[in-house]
Amino acid sequence: MNDMDCPLADTHCHLDLMPEETLSFLSSGALSGYPAPSSALSPSPSPLKTPETPTRLIFVPGVTGPAVFRHANQSARISAGLPDNDLPGLWRIFQMTGVHPGYLTDFNEQDFRSRTAVLHPFMIGEIGLDRRYEDRFAADFQEMCLRIQLAAARDYGIPVSLHVVGRHGAALRILREFPGLRGILHGFTGSKDLALEYLRSGFLLGIGPLILNPEARKLNSAVTALAPENLVTETDVPFMSYYDNGIRKAATPEILPLIIRKISELQGRSFEDTAAVVFRNALSLIPQIPET
């Protein structure tokens, strides 16, 4: 298998924040948007009927609310279903809504709930706790906002994309208040023990460009001890970089095969098997597309 022919999923990509000139990797037929609007969210949305299971996925997190990617030549809003030309090789783009812990100014539960009900996102994120912003948003306020957004995900039966920096103990404690919730711990960089705590809470671990850094020994050790069934891939562009033969470069979704190959090497599995498993993990988080 050619690396770029494998199924690929970037489960955390700020596509809406990328400069236009960096979007060349997208097919002109890429599809983008929220699922079809509805008057109310349902815990069990009906699957869309698709001619093919897509082989390219991008999840776009919201930071201050809804993610908005509407590049005129490279996206189209999903309406009642998928057009007949939704063929393998195109990127399917799914947009979340969520408020990042560093952007909680004017956060309001009623506004968040109303917006979520209108947009009907497939996932709520990125949301969480971050010690770096506690001078602006106190820890207890961040926790309150996280609970509100987790409750919305629980009520609507959708997963979450979780951002946690320096507050893992508090985040895990709060997740225990929401049994059955699932999602992704975005940007995992921790130990095997921390990984197991999130796995027990029902979360997959987002593995990104840091794994390509030769100095990321703790992350490499944790991934070595896990199985691909526990992982999804991500890039967090345009905020992340990676190392290519010692040269630091800006990450793009085109480096996903490098991340998959590194995971496969650490776990002693084939590239093809690892690619298939981590893609299936991402696909399972999209209520509108059944696994095949």
Side-chain angles (χ1 to χ4, degrees), residues 161-232:
S161 177
L162 192 63
H163 167 112
V164 183
V165 175
R167 297 293 311 286
H168 291 289
L172 288 163
R173 171 172 47 80
I174 292 171
L175 288 178
R176 286 193 285 271
E177 301 171 15
F178 298 87
L181 199 64
R182 64 191 188 120
I184 299 170
L185 175 65
H186 147 60
F188 177 73
T189 60
S191 66
K192 174 189 172 183
D193 290 343
L194 183 62
L196 294 175
E197 289 286 337
Y198 279 104
L199 295 176
R200 282 191 284 267
S201 296
F203 279 68
L204 297 162
L205 307 174
I207 306 300
L210 181 62
I211 201 170
L212 303 176
N213 184 340
E215 302 302 317
R217 297 184 183 90
K218 181 169 66 172
L219 176 60
N220 286 355
S221 177
V223 169
T224 299
L226 299 172
E229 286 78 9
N230 304 138
L231 310 177
V232 290

Side-chain angles (χ1 to χ4, degrees), residues 30-190:
L31 297 172
S32 174
Y34 295 92
S38 74
S39 58
L41 287 173
S42 166
S44 302
S46 300
L48 294 176
K49 297 183 182 302
T50 63
E52 300 277 356
T53 298
T55 57
R56 300 285 189 276
L57 302 175
I58 293 181
F59 297 175
V60 185
V63 175
T64 59
V68 179
F69 174 69
R70 296 196 179 100
H71 188 271
N73 297 322
Q74 294 173 316
S75 67
R77 178 168 292 279
I78 296 172
S79 55
L82 299 177
D84 292 338
N85 65 351
D86 181 41
L87 301 174
L90 299 182
W91 291 92
R92 283 293 312 280
I93 301 165
F94 291 89
Q95 297 167 199
M96 309 180 203
T97 185
V99 183
H100 183 285
Y103 295 85
L104 293 170
T105 303
D106 300 324
F107 180 85
N108 178 283
E109 179 175 6
Q110 183 176 351
D111 288 348
F112 178 79
R113 284 274 186 168
S114 297
R115 181 169 55 228
T116 304
V118 169
L119 292 174
H120 195 170
F122 84 106
M123 198 169 188
I124 288 179
E126 67 184 287
I127 63 176
L129 305 174
D130 194 321
R131 189 178 300 279
R132 296 171 300 179
Y133 298 103
E134 289 179 2
D135 58 333
R136 293 163 50 201
F137 306 110
D140 57 349
F141 179 67
Q142 289 190 33
E143 292 181 16
M144 180 192 74
C145 296
L146 175 59
R147 284 186 173 93
I148 288 169
Q149 295 180 91
L150 291 175
R154 175 198 60 199
D155 295 347
Y156 301 143
I158 56 179
V160 302
S161 177
L162 192 63
H163 167 112
V164 183
V165 175
R167 297 293 311 286
H168 291 289
L172 288 163
R173 171 172 47 80
I174 292 171
L175 288 178
R176 286 193 285 271
E177 301 171 15
F178 298 87
L181 199 64
R182 64 191 188 120
I184 299 170
L185 175 65
H186 147 60
F188 177 73
T189 60

